[in-house]
C-alpha cells in the first residue's frame, strides 16, 4: 500500500500549519512506499538549499524505515554506519525525516521530509505532518 | 518576483481538476523564477516515470521562457538546437511545460510541467493550470 | 502489491532457460512496483554493457507500465516523445522491457528487463520470464 | 578468471539461508572481477536503502580486494584514507563487503556485499555466502 495524494496533501497542510505556528519557513516533501515523491511544498522565503534536503530526508526515512536522526547517530566518525550518506545518491541523516504509517494496518506507506530551520523544528514539523494522518 | 506557494497550489488544484475532467492521471510540477520546485503533486495511479518528466518540463519551460514543445521543434535531427536535451541534467522538449506569468506585470515568475498522458493532454492540463492564475 | 523475491527468481529462471534455448547470453533484471531492483542475473559471457541496459529496461517498463518498445516508437525524431530517454537518469526505449502483472488481480507489480542479443531475442526472453508467473 | 553466474547464485542462496537463520532481511549483491554485478537478490521486506549499499559494498570489496570494514578503519577523520568514500561514485566502507576467492587458485574472482541489518549481521551473512564456494 502506498500513501494517496489526498493523504500526502493532508500531511503537507498540517506541516505548513505547524511551521506557521513556529514562525519558520519550510520545504516539505512526501514520498510513497517506493521512496518516490507524491507531494511537495516550499513555503515562501524558505531556504532554497532545503529543497533537496527535504526530499532526501523523506527518501532516507523510507529507505530505512526509521527517523533520519537515528541513522545520523550511527553514521558519525567511529560509528557503525560511518559515511553511509554516500549511498543512494546522497542521504540526509539528521532529524526531519519520519516514516508514515497506515493508521489502520500500521504498515509503512511512505515518509515525510522537512527542512528549513533547526533540526528540532524540522523534526517537530515532520511529526505534525505524520500525526495529521492518525487523527 | 517569484511565484508564491499559494499561487503554485492554486495552479496545481486547477491542473488536477482538468486532469479529472479529462479522465487522466498526471504528475504536476510548479517551479519558480529560479527554476526550483515550489509545489508538486502525483495523482494516484499516475505513471511513475512521469514524475521526473513533469519536473524537467517545468524547468525546461523556465530555462528558456517558452513552451517546451517549441524547443522540441528545434532540437530535431538537423535542427538548430539538435540534442539540446543533453544540457542542464536533462531537458524534456515535448509539450507539457508552460511558463507562468504574473497577471499584473506579465513578467515570467515560474513555470508548470505536466506529464502522464498524451502530449496534447499534458499541454491542456498545463494550460488549465496557468489560466487559474489569470482568473 | 510488489513482486516477491520468490517470483522474481522464478521469472529469472524461466528467462535463463529461454536464453539457453535460443543460444544467447543475457543480463536479466526484475524490479518491483517502485521500480527498484528485486533480482538480477548476468549469464556467463553476456555483454557487460547490457547490465545497465537490462536494469534501465525494467525500470522504463515500470515507469510507464508498458513494453519498452512501445515508447521507442514514440520517441523517434519527429515523434511525440522525442528524446524522452533523457529523463529518469536514462531510459531505454527499445524492446526487452515488459511489465509484470499479478496473476490474480492483473495489477502491475513490477517489470522485467532483458539485454544481451537482438531486440527480438531480448523481448522473447522477457516474455518467457513474464509468462513463468502466469503458469 | 571471473566468478560464474552459477557460483554467484550458490553464494546468494547460502547468504539467504544464513539471513533466514538469523531472522534478518537482506539485500545481497555479487560482483565479478571487474566489479560488475553478476547476481542480486532483495529479500521481501528488506530495507530499500540497502539495495544500493549492498552493491556498493560488493564493489568496494573488489575495488581494494579487502573486507569493506578494513577500509572504514582508515577512512575516519585523521585517518590515512579520510573520506575515500567520495571516489568511485560512492564507496561503503563499513562491514558487509567481502572478496570472493577461487577455491582452487586463491585468486580473487569477485566480491559479495550484504546490507539490511547490523554491520555484524551483514558481515556474517557475507561470510556465509563466501564460504558456500569453498565447500
Amino acid at each position: 500500500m502506498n500513501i494517496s495524494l489526498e493523504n500526502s496533501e493532508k500531511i503537507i497542510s498540517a506541516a505548513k500549519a505547524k511551521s506557521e505556528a513556529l514562525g519558520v519557513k519550510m520545504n516539505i516533501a512526501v514520498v510513497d512506499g517506493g521512496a518516490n515523491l507524491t507531494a511537495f511544498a516550499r513555503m515562501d522565503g524558505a531556504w532554497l538549499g532545503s529543497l533537496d534536503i527535504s526530499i532526501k530526508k523523506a527518501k532516507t526515512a523510507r529507505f530505512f524505515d526509521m527517523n533520519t536522526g537515528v541513522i545520523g547517530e550511527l553514521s558519525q566518525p567511529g560509528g557503525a554506519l560511518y559515511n553511509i550518506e554516500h549511498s543512494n545518491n546522497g542521504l540526509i541523516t539528521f532529524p526531519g525525516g519520519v516514516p508514515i504509517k497506515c493508521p489502520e494496518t500500521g504498515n509503512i506507506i511512505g515518509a515525510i521530509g522537512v527542512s528549513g530551520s533547526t533540526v528540532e523544528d524540522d523534526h517537530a514539523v515532520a511529526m505534525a505532518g505524520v500525526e495529521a494522518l492518525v487523527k
Side-chain angles (χ1 to χ4, degrees), chain A:
Chain A
M1 276 292 294
N2 281 323
I3 191 166
S4 66
L5 176 56
E6 183 181 351
N7 279 336
S8 299
E9 292 183 332
K10 188 183 296 181
I11 286 172
I12 285 188
S13 283
K16 284 198 294 184
K18 179 70 174 180
S19 300
E20 284 160 6
L22 290 172
V24 293
K25 297 165 180 174
M26 296 296 199
N27 287 261
I28 308 159
V30 176
V31 300
D32 64 15
N36 297 302
L37 200 64
T38 56
F40 173 83
R42 177 155 52 95
M43 297 173 71
D44 298 345
W47 287 330
L48 197 50
S50 284
L51 195 176
D52 184 56
I53 292 175
S54 68
I55 295 175
K56 281 188 165 55
K57 281 185 182 175
K59 286 177 178 277
T60 300
R62 171 53 188 145
F63 281 156
F64 302 100
D65 292 343
M66 61 182 76
N67 291 359
T68 47
V70 175
I71 302 167
E73 293 174 10
L74 301 170
S75 67
Q76 299 296 319
L81 305 182
Y82 176 58
N83 266 352
I84 192 174
E85 294 83 1
H86 288 265
S87 70
N88 293 288
N89 289 320
L91 301 176
I92 293 294
T93 59
F94 46 82
V98 176
I100 301 168
K101 292 182 180 175
C102 172
E104 277 80 38
T105 65
N107 291 337
I108 292 177
I109 55 175
I112 181 174
V114 176
S115 179
S117 178
T118 64
V119 293
E120 289 78 13
D121 284 347
D122 290 356
H123 179 71
V125 169
M127 288 306 298
V130 166
E131 283 157 15
L133 207 59
V134 180
K135 284 166 194 168

